[in-house]
Amino acid sequence: MPFNLGQNVHVGRLEVSAANFVRSFFPRIALVACLVILGSGSLAHAQADYENTNPTGWWIYTGQTAAQITNTISKENARIIDIAPDNNAGSLFTVTYVQNTATYAKRWWWYYGITARELTDYLKANDGRLISLKAYDIGDGSIRFAVAMIANTGADQKAWWYYYGVTPSEITNYLTAHNARLTTLQSYLSEGNTYYAVIMIANSGTDAKGWWWWYDGSPATISDLVNNNNARIIDLTPAGNGNFNAVLESCSGGCPAWWWFYGQSAEAVLTDAQNYGARSFTLEPYACGDSTCFATAMISNTPADVTVCDTSGCISEAKLQTNICNALAGKVVGYDCLVGSLRPMFGGEARTSTDGSLAMAPSLVMDIASVSKTMTATAIVQLLAQNHLSPTTLIWPYIYPDWTLGPNVKSITFKDLLTHTSGFGQLPNGQCGNINMIDYQGIETDVATGVDASNIGKPDYGNCNFALLRELMPALLRVNLQGYANGQARANQSSAIYLSYMNSHVFGPVGVSTVSCTPPPAAVNQILDYPYPTGNYSGINWGDWSLRCGSGGWQISANDIFSVVSSLATNTTLLSSSWKTTMLSQSLGWDSAVRSDCPSPYVCKNGDLNNGGNPLYALWTYAGILNCNVPVVVMVNSPLPAPYQDGDDIIGLVETAYENAKVAGSPRACTF
């Protein structure tokens, strides 16, 4: 039943927004443990972890032993904010951490497998206050506790109480007696009976809030409580049989962006956090059929805006993102907009009702078209660096020795391919641009045809440039494919090498799970592409590109693209600083090599697939790095609105949004 111990507030709608980066890991490991581990930090801050929206590093783990928890605390300078036993033995735990720095820095401790008496002693010895309390029966009614506590001193000092082995009516009595409100609510079984363990604080002073609690409630009931009271969840724990216990606080005075999920896998929790720019502040495991599911509550972990400056001036990331999305919202079927440090904005449909209805989200995958070229370029630049080669290295020694080299092919460099200045783009009848001619056989034909010497060095866009780079990869990796017959057998091998290298050295290092150039069969995470308006037309994908991948064809998400581009913009995971400078300053793999409408002087890449018919089916993708280190990714699954579909395309759309996002600020030098 509900308990309303706060003010009445009006019905409101929960706002949902989005973001980009989560640090996390999910080991599934067997047993061990029985120690008490201490953690410590400096500084204190009055804001509770479930209210603090300052962006911070955070982690969630499940199946952790005590030794692994200790290692995480030490390695990451982490602090536990929620801990739940995975079993009654209390040997494995699901743990939520924040980095114990800045506004999250506190003196703190954690314990597990302790008795009620030991808990009392530790609280007294540490002058501590519990922030996470889980009771569990290890057998015969013997209760043990897993807890996290902080120093109840300075700005963190509060009047507070905790209880275990209590019933809902007893909780009510304690709340009334103390004029308190709950911050946590956990139910547990002991000798066939359900009991509760709770933490409460004085509902007075700066902690005074309208609030509510509910035990053993269905998700629908809790959702109604949230919506009808304009409230948000600050604690969520499983109650069994698909029900939950929840503690809510009023949003009448405003609340940060927040979300809650249940019935999720651990991996899905991470995806939700990435989509919404959030961090989990509680993560609770529970039995879900034959597997383990998780319930979580999240809070925004991204800034509202960031002003970024370089020698060309300053932009507002929020204005840029809003400008892009406003140009798309209600004018395309679905869209994703990811900009810099902000949480993603997205809207519309990934699949319409004709195809089963699925809302757009940045975790959903789609053929990213020619943005694949930037992914391929990253791999080629890596291999040039590993082989101590320069972009101006001639390509002919890396071409299969049994291919015929046409006129002037021996004069073409890797840079020529990476910047579309090879001369292949000027081949007659659009031969280099034809996506049906970018498989092994088509590229062999282009190489045998050769190029006009006068065209080398002149930019002319052609898909075959990056398809050829795919076929140069085996030699760069010192893999000899001469044992395979020239034709399909070798094509299969070169494709496998390319796909494997990309997953291992481009996608994997930035946290992107194994991806392919084949549409996932009937996958729930797949975006389909449509005309606009959609009418009753079914969506399409663009088929299997596994033997044509390189210049296009990667089936990945906006989040995945962002992970790669963000690394190129902000860290050295994929390329060293010097090679990043080379790739960006020389526009290797970027459209700024052949176009003048990327926001100057920055790099950008667009992707487009369309059927050229009526109705016009289309997709658009965009990746760029603006103002030195601001990654930008846009994904659209239908034709663009006027004037962009037939005019300046998606690059022009972003350029217009960029020009209108400029703000005042102090210029600074651009470094990579």
Side-chain angles (χ1 to χ4, degrees):
M1 59 181 296
F3 290 80
N4 181 346
L5 299 182
Q7 62 200 43
N8 293 321
V9 294
H10 66 278
V11 176
R13 183 177 64 85
L14 180 63
E15 178 188 356
V16 176
S17 305
N20 44 37
F21 179 63
V22 179
R23 303 179 65 184
S24 52
F25 182 57
F26 287 100
R28 291 282 189 181
I29 307 178
L31 75 154
V32 172
C34 204
L35 301 172
V36 175
I37 313 296
L38 304 182
S40 65
S42 60
L43 305 178
H45 194 266
Q47 206 166 25
D49 296 310
Y50 56 79
E51 294 178 333
N52 194 342
T53 58
N54 290 306
T56 189
W58 67 282
W59 302 263
I60 48 178
Y61 288 77
T62 189
Q64 277 200 306
T65 65
Q68 290 166 335
I69 295 171
T70 303
N71 182 63
T72 301
I73 292 168
S74 174
K75 178 182 176 182
E76 309 292 357
N77 186 24
R79 174 169 65 83
I80 295 172
I81 61 173
D82 186 48
I83 182 169
D86 291 348
N87 51 38
N88 283 342
S91 57
L92 298 173
F93 300 89
T94 294
V95 192
T96 307
Y97 305 85
V98 292
Q99 197 162 54
N100 198 35
T101 57
T103 59
Y104 295 87
K106 302 179 189 293
R107 289 195 304 118
W108 71 285
W109 304 263
W110 76 281
Y111 305 89
Y112 74 100
I114 60 175
T115 65
R117 177 59 184 270
E118 290 171 322
L119 175 55
T120 300
D121 290 344
Y122 287 131
L123 285 166
K124 182 177 179 180
N126 298 326
D127 192 9
R129 172 166 62 84
L130 292 175
I131 60 170
S132 179
L133 170 66
K134 300 298 190 306
Y136 52 100
D137 189 332
I138 62 172
D140 299 324
S142 298
I143 304 302
R144 296 294 184 269
F145 299 91
V147 304
M149 64 179 72
I150 62 174
N152 195 37
T153 57
D156 279 311
Q157 188 172 28
K158 299 181 188 296
W160 75 285
W161 303 265
Y162 76 100
Y163 298 93
Y164 66 94
V166 292
T167 65
S169 60
E170 289 173 322
I171 295 171
T172 301
N173 292 336
Y174 287 128
L175 289 167
T176 301
H178 297 306
N179 184 28
R181 63 181 176 92
L182 294 179
T183 58
T184 70
L185 172 65
Q186 178 228 1
S187 57
Y188 62 96
L189 289 174
S190 180
E191 298 186 303
N193 297 311
T194 298
Y195 297 101
Y196 292 84
V198 300
I199 303 171
M200 58 182 70
I201 61 174
N203 194 29
S204 59
T206 57
D207 288 320
K209 292 180 182 290
W211 72 285
W212 301 262
W213 63 294
W214 198 291
Y215 65 92
D216 196 20
S218 69
T221 298
I222 294 171
S223 182
D224 287 343
L225 190 65
V226 167
N227 293 324
N228 293 339
N229 293 288
N230 186 25
R232 77 177 183 101
I233 295 170
I234 63 171
D235 191 54
L236 182 69
T237 57
N241 299 316
N243 287 349
F244 298 91
N245 311 304
V247 180
L248 295 78
E249 67 178 24
S250 173
C251 289
S252 61
C255 273
W258 72 281
W259 304 264
W260 68 292
F261 302 93
Y262 61 92
Q264 301 286 70
S265 68
E267 292 77 11
V269 171
L270 286 182
T271 297
D272 291 330
Q274 189 174 36
N275 282 347
Y276 294 103
R279 65 173 175 85
S280 291
F281 56 82
T282 179
L283 182 72
E284 303 292 331
Y286 62 97
C288 188
D290 295 329
S291 61
T292 298
C293 288
F294 294 86
T296 185
M298 300 180 180
I299 191 171
S300 175
N301 196 51
T302 52
D305 193 11
V306 176
T307 297
V308 184
C309 301
D310 63 10
T311 54
S312 296
C314 302
I315 60 166
S316 158
E317 288 188 357
K319 286 186 177 182
L320 174 59
Q321 185 179 50
T322 300
N323 292 344
I324 295 170
C325 284
N326 284 351
L328 298 170
K331 303 167 188 174
V332 296
V333 175
Y335 63 90
D336 297 318
C337 309
L338 285 69
V339 173
S341 302
L342 308 185
R343 61 177 181 263
M345 293 176 67
F346 51 93
E349 297 174 294
R351 294 204 294 269
T352 67
S353 58
T354 303
D355 298 301
S357 294
L358 181 66
M360 194 71 163
S363 57
L364 304 179
V365 303
M366 184 176 80
D367 189 321
I368 65 169
S370 285
V371 168
S372 299
K373 292 180 174 68
T374 302
M375 309 295 114
T376 299
T378 302
I380 295 299
V381 172
Q382 283 180 346
L383 291 170
L384 291 176
Q386 291 169 21
N387 285 282
H388 306 290
L389 305 174
S390 78
T392 56
T393 299
L394 297 171
I395 66 168
W396 71 266
Y398 301 90
I399 296 175
Y400 302 115
D402 53 359
W403 277 18
T404 298
L405 301 185
N408 304 306
V409 168
K410 283 193 172 185
S411 298
I412 298 172
T413 68
F414 281 95
K415 182 177 180 180
D416 290 327
L417 296 180
L418 289 163
T419 58
H420 300 281
T421 56
S422 63
F424 285 122
Q426 289 91 341
L427 289 177
N429 303 315
Q431 181 175 325
C432 185
N434 189 335
I435 62 173
N436 295 315
M437 290 286 292
I438 55 174
D439 59 5
Y440 180 96
Q441 183 178 4
I443 299 309
E444 182 182 14
T445 299
D446 290 341
V447 170
T449 301
V451 301
D452 190 317
S454 65
N455 288 329
I456 297 177
K458 294 180 180 179
D460 199 328
Y461 193 92
N463 289 309
C464 73
N465 290 295
F466 283 77
L468 177 53
L469 286 168
R470 178 192 67 229
E471 299 303 332
L472 300 179
M473 189 175 282
L476 286 169
L477 288 167
R478 296 183 173 87
V479 176
N480 188 342
L481 296 184
Q482 291 305 109
Y484 296 92
N486 184 24
Q488 194 60 51
R490 190 183 297 166
N492 292 339
Q493 292 301 312
S494 67
S495 173
I497 288 170
Y498 171 77
L499 295 172
S500 175
Y501 184 89
M502 293 294 294
N503 274 295
S504 297
H505 298 278
V506 177
F507 298 125
V510 295
V512 175
S513 299
T514 301
V515 291
S516 75
C517 295
T518 304
V524 296
N525 68 334
Q526 184 187 16
I527 299 168
L528 296 180
D529 302 311
Y530 295 89
Y532 186 84
T534 59
N536 294 320
Y537 293 109
S538 296
I540 63 171
N541 62 52
W542 302 87
D544 184 354
W545 284 57
S546 56
L547 293 177
R548 297 181 292 160
C549 214
S551 61
W554 278 107
Q555 295 275 339
I556 61 178
S557 70
N559 282 339
D560 296 337
I561 301 172
F562 191 87
S563 294
V564 175
V565 177
S566 181
S567 179
L568 296 176
T570 64
N571 61 55
T572 56
T573 299
L574 296 177
L575 297 175
S576 68
S577 293
S578 61
W579 276 100
K580 281 203 308 181
T581 299
T582 298
M583 183 180 184
L584 298 176
S585 65
Q586 297 185 28
S587 292
L588 306 181
W590 304 96
D591 281 347
S592 40
V594 291
R595 297 178 57 157
S596 60
D597 54 351
C598 289
S600 181
Y602 312 116
V603 295
C604 73
K605 183 74 193 79
N606 84 328
D608 167 37
L609 286 172
N610 70 80
N611 67 342
N614 185 16
L616 179 67
Y617 282 79
L619 70 79
W620 288 92
T621 52
Y622 177 98
I625 300 174
L626 309 180
N627 284 75
C628 300
N629 60 2
V630 179
V632 178
V633 171
V634 186
M635 186 177 282
V636 180
N637 65 336
S638 68
L640 296 174
Y644 301 108
Q645 178 64 36
D646 298 318
D648 296 330
D649 67 43
I650 199 166
I651 288 180
L653 187 151
V654 175
E655 183 186 35
T656 299
Y658 176 83
E659 291 299 322
N660 291 324
K662 293 182 177 179
V663 295
S666 301
R668 68 169 179 83
C670 184
T671 59
F672 298 112

PDB file of all heavy atoms in Angstrom, residues 26 240 270 392 555 584 657:
ATOM      1  N   PHE A  26      31.352  -6.217 -16.297  1.00  0.00           N
ATOM      2  CA  PHE A  26      30.457  -7.200 -15.708  1.00  0.00           C
ATOM      3  C   PHE A  26      31.119  -8.566 -15.579  1.00  0.00           C
ATOM      4  O   PHE A  26      30.909  -9.436 -16.403  1.00  0.00           O
ATOM      5  CB  PHE A  26      29.205  -7.343 -16.573  1.00  0.00           C
ATOM      6  CG  PHE A  26      28.292  -6.177 -16.459  1.00  0.00           C
ATOM      7  CD1 PHE A  26      28.286  -5.206 -17.434  1.00  0.00           C
ATOM      8  CD2 PHE A  26      27.462  -6.036 -15.384  1.00  0.00           C
ATOM      9  CE1 PHE A  26      27.445  -4.133 -17.337  1.00  0.00           C
ATOM     10  CE2 PHE A  26      26.613  -4.966 -15.278  1.00  0.00           C
ATOM     11  CZ  PHE A  26      26.609  -4.008 -16.250  1.00  0.00           C
ATOM     12  N   GLY A 240      10.051  -9.519  -4.969  1.00  0.00           N
ATOM     13  CA  GLY A 240       9.636 -10.861  -5.343  1.00  0.00           C
ATOM     14  C   GLY A 240       8.409 -10.841  -6.227  1.00  0.00           C
ATOM     15  O   GLY A 240       7.615  -9.894  -6.216  1.00  0.00           O
ATOM     16  N   LEU A 270      23.623  -0.884 -19.035  1.00  0.00           N
ATOM     17  CA  LEU A 270      24.672  -0.015 -19.572  1.00  0.00           C
ATOM     18  C   LEU A 270      24.207   0.723 -20.816  1.00  0.00           C
ATOM     19  O   LEU A 270      24.493   1.903 -21.003  1.00  0.00           O
ATOM     20  CB  LEU A 270      25.919  -0.831 -19.907  1.00  0.00           C
ATOM     21  CG  LEU A 270      26.751  -1.309 -18.732  1.00  0.00           C
ATOM     22  CD1 LEU A 270      27.966  -2.050 -19.234  1.00  0.00           C
ATOM     23  CD2 LEU A 270      27.153  -0.155 -17.852  1.00  0.00           C
ATOM     24  N   THR A 392      52.199   9.100 -47.562  1.00  0.00           N
ATOM     25  CA  THR A 392      52.631   9.243 -48.959  1.00  0.00           C
ATOM     26  C   THR A 392      53.316   7.982 -49.491  1.00  0.00           C
ATOM     27  O   THR A 392      53.861   7.981 -50.600  1.00  0.00           O
ATOM     28  CB  THR A 392      53.587  10.440 -49.101  1.00  0.00           C
ATOM     29  OG1 THR A 392      54.687  10.273 -48.199  1.00  0.00           O
ATOM     30  CG2 THR A 392      52.864  11.741 -48.789  1.00  0.00           C
ATOM     31  N   GLN A 555      27.190  -2.072 -39.965  1.00  0.00           N
ATOM     32  CA  GLN A 555      25.909  -2.057 -39.265  1.00  0.00           C
ATOM     33  C   GLN A 555      26.193  -1.770 -37.790  1.00  0.00           C
ATOM     34  O   GLN A 555      26.394  -2.683 -36.978  1.00  0.00           O
ATOM     35  CB  GLN A 555      25.208  -3.408 -39.416  1.00  0.00           C
ATOM     36  CG  GLN A 555      24.814  -3.738 -40.835  1.00  0.00           C
ATOM     37  CD  GLN A 555      23.472  -3.123 -41.217  1.00  0.00           C
ATOM     38  OE1 GLN A 555      22.659  -2.782 -40.365  1.00  0.00           O
ATOM     39  NE2 GLN A 555      23.238  -2.988 -42.507  1.00  0.00           N
ATOM     40  N   LEU A 584      43.732  14.158 -38.912  1.00  0.00           N
ATOM     41  CA  LEU A 584      42.802  15.282 -38.925  1.00  0.00           C
ATOM     42  C   LEU A 584      43.296  16.422 -39.812  1.00  0.00           C
ATOM     43  O   LEU A 584      42.523  17.000 -40.581  1.00  0.00           O
ATOM     44  CB  LEU A 584      42.569  15.766 -37.489  1.00  0.00           C
ATOM     45  CG  LEU A 584      41.930  14.744 -36.539  1.00  0.00           C
ATOM     46  CD1 LEU A 584      41.833  15.316 -35.128  1.00  0.00           C
ATOM     47  CD2 LEU A 584      40.566  14.301 -37.024  1.00  0.00           C
ATOM     48  N   ALA A 657      23.615  24.507 -38.471  1.00  0.00           N
ATOM     49  CA  ALA A 657      23.438  24.407 -37.019  1.00  0.00           C
ATOM     50  C   ALA A 657      24.668  24.930 -36.293  1.00  0.00           C
ATOM     51  O   ALA A 657      24.556  25.606 -35.248  1.00  0.00           O
ATOM     52  CB  ALA A 657      23.171  22.953 -36.629  1.00  0.00           C
TER      53      ALA A 657
END
